[in-house]
Amino acid sequence: MSETRRPPAGHTGAPEALPFHDALVLAGGAARRLGGADKPALSVGGRPLLDRVLAACPGAATTVVVGPVRPTIRTVVHAREDPPGGGPLAALDAGLRYTTAPTVLVLAADLPFLTPATVRRLLAAVAGAPVDGAARVDGALLRDAGGRDQPLVAAYRRTALQRELTALRASHGTLSGLPLRAMTAALALERVADVPAEASFDCDTWEDVGAARARIREHGGVLDEWITAVKAELGIELDVDTKALLDLARDAAHGVARPAAPLTTFLIGYSAGREGSGGDVADASRRIAALAERWAAEHTSGDGASGGAASGDTGRPEPKSAP
């Protein structure tokens, strides 16, 4: 049976074959370095950390969140390790029971800059064909800029995880309290470089949370972060050509009146929604940009139609004389 799936609904651009996969997000833990705060629920860029991670793996067939039940932006399966707080391997074992796909993404719930692009790279590394007869890998994990492996930003073959968890339970009698390296040391893993060294950034301390909140407000990325947050809040799956809409808003503001900018972009969005399935925002933007140009041209042309006011013409049509 093929292990690839088509992109989820709402995906635009060229189709991309990905391994059929589930996602398992570990969202438990005591967050002692955060004073016991509910770390996955902390807001970065107006969105909980957990929702930011879920947004990075939209193509998962089943998404399992292990930890206390929290509201999430999309539907997930909730699981709980036994005993609660039993550590990452106990959580992994609890969540794995709800998965069926051959490949499983395993992700921490505190990764504010994880992106679908990084997830695709991990999945592609697992799906890659063996070279020169080499054995098929058990998974692929992210390696950060400091050369450290990140086993909770990874994609694994489910059978490999089940094999090692069973072996560890047989050896130790329990998975509770065991470190992740007890499992990963026995797996054949590919390393995927974290480019541009952001996806592996996690929020273990309040300083980390503050740094993440500051980073998304940096000039180069704040607008994209805001648009992404708005789309998430409204449940919109639509690619937005930010530059085109900003150019249009500028033209409307300069050529018509300043309040025309937000109202025009609103009407384009309304039109797209009325068309269904997102409509054609690009086409609507082009048409309204042309309209704004025509509108502005009427006030800058030197023909007789716009020059009458200089000779006292009010611009109103003259009343017709009685016959």
Side-chain angles (χ1 to χ4, degrees):
M1 185 176 81
S2 171
E3 294 185 6
T4 61
R5 65 179 283 130
R6 295 188 179 278
H11 177 87
T12 60
E16 179 180 10
L18 294 175
F20 183 71
H21 64 282
D22 292 329
L24 203 166
V25 182
L26 304 190
R32 294 183 181 86
R33 296 170 69 186
L34 285 165
D38 185 4
K39 180 164 62 171
L42 291 178
S43 174
V44 173
R47 292 187 290 159
L49 284 169
L50 176 56
D51 279 343
R52 295 180 72 94
V53 173
L54 293 176
C57 49
T62 299
T63 300
V64 185
V65 175
V66 184
V69 175
R70 306 173 180 88
T72 53
I73 198 73
R74 62 184 177 86
T75 302
V76 301
V77 175
H78 292 282
R80 198 73 167 102
E81 70 272 32
D82 185 19
L89 290 186
L92 187 59
D93 182 60
L96 204 61
R97 300 171 189 270
Y98 295 91
T99 66
T100 57
T103 302
V104 179
L105 287 167
V106 176
L107 305 169
D110 62 345
L111 303 166
F113 304 116
L114 183 66
T115 65
T118 297
V119 166
R120 287 193 295 268
R121 291 174 63 217
L122 292 168
L123 291 169
V126 176
V131 179
D132 298 329
R136 193 167 70 167
V137 298
D138 293 321
L141 51 74
L142 204 66
R143 175 167 280 178
D144 68 20
R148 295 176 293 271
D149 288 346
Q150 301 294 324
L152 293 183
V153 193
Y156 300 97
R157 297 193 184 278
R158 185 167 55 88
T159 54
L161 294 181
Q162 291 173 323
R163 181 189 71 224
E164 296 308 320
L165 290 173
T166 299
L168 286 169
R169 187 183 290 104
S171 297
H172 297 271
T174 181
L175 297 174
S176 183
L178 296 180
L180 269 172
R181 63 178 176 273
M183 178 191 71
T184 56
L187 298 176
L189 299 172
E190 286 284 328
R191 269 70 181 179
V192 174
D194 182 7
V195 180
E198 287 189 339
S200 58
F201 182 94
D202 57 5
C203 293
D204 287 332
T205 67
W206 285 114
E207 288 77 13
D208 294 335
V209 175
R213 289 171 173 170
R215 185 177 299 183
I216 65 168
R217 288 174 170 78
E218 292 175 355
H219 178 69
V222 64
L223 194 55
D224 287 340
E225 283 283 352
W226 170 248
I227 295 300
T228 299
V230 171
K231 291 194 297 183
E233 187 71 19
L234 298 177
I236 298 171
E237 294 184 5
L238 177 68
D239 288 334
V240 176
D241 188 339
T242 303
K243 182 179 183 302
L245 287 176
L246 286 177
D247 287 347
L248 171 60
R250 179 201 61 209
D251 293 343
H254 290 174
V256 183
R258 189 176 298 274
L263 293 172
T264 301
T265 52
F266 164 77
L267 290 171
I268 287 175
Y270 179 81
S271 173
R274 188 178 59 180
E275 293 289 333
S277 302
D280 192 340
V281 174
D283 178 64
S285 298
R286 285 191 296 268
R287 290 165 54 196
I288 302 306
L291 173 63
E293 290 179 4
R294 296 195 303 271
W295 181 288
E298 293 179 7
H299 298 278
T300 58
S301 64
D303 59 25
S306 60
S311 59
D313 188 354
T314 64
R316 297 186 181 91
E318 291 292 333
K320 292 182 179 179
S321 57

